[in-house]
């Protein structure tokens, strides 16, 4: 996948745990990290720092502007 859009508040497993599992799988299998962007309602600096610590690359605050999402997606696809 070129990009994962990760919702942080899912019913079975939250986005932080899911991200940790994805990063663990990538490490164990020698895979390049897939960019993971969190969808979050909170953009406080300490919250963003916690997201980076679990392996999330960037975030998009909800409700999000579709053009902002498109810009971030295009940035990843051009890499």
């Amino acid at each position: 996948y070129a990009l994962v859009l990760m919702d942080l508040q899912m019913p079975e497993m939250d986005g932080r745990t899911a991200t940790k599992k994805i990063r663990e799988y990538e490490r164990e299998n020698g895979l390049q990290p897939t960019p993971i962007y969190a969808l979050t309602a909170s953009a406080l600096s300490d919250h963003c720092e916690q997201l980076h610590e679990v392996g999330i690359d960037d975030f998009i605050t909800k409700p999000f502007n579709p053009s902002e999402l498109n810009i971030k997606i295009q940035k990843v696809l051009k890499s």
Side-chain angles (χ1 to χ4, degrees):
Y1 296 94
L3 171 67
V4 172
L5 296 177
M6 181 68 70
D7 193 338
L8 295 180
Q9 296 182 341
M10 300 180 290
E12 296 288 322
M13 178 186 302
D14 68 39
R16 287 176 189 81
T17 304
T19 297
K20 287 178 188 176
K21 289 186 176 287
I22 290 169
R23 295 302 185 217
E24 182 180 307
Y25 179 84
E26 290 169 337
R27 279 190 302 277
E28 289 174 353
N29 292 281
L31 301 172
Q32 291 288 353
T34 300
I36 299 176
Y37 286 13
L39 300 175
T40 179
S42 175
L44 301 174
S45 61
D46 63 329
H47 182 73
C48 298
E49 186 177 315
Q50 292 170 1
L51 297 178
H52 288 290
E53 287 175 4
V54 298
I56 291 175
D57 299 294
D58 203 349
F59 65 92
I60 300 165
T61 55
K62 298 187 286 186
F64 60 86
N65 180 324
S67 62
E68 176 191 359
L69 176 61
N70 189 42
I71 289 167
K72 290 191 180 232
I73 290 172
Q74 291 305 315
K75 180 180 168 185
V76 169
L77 295 178
K78 290 179 183 178
S79 303

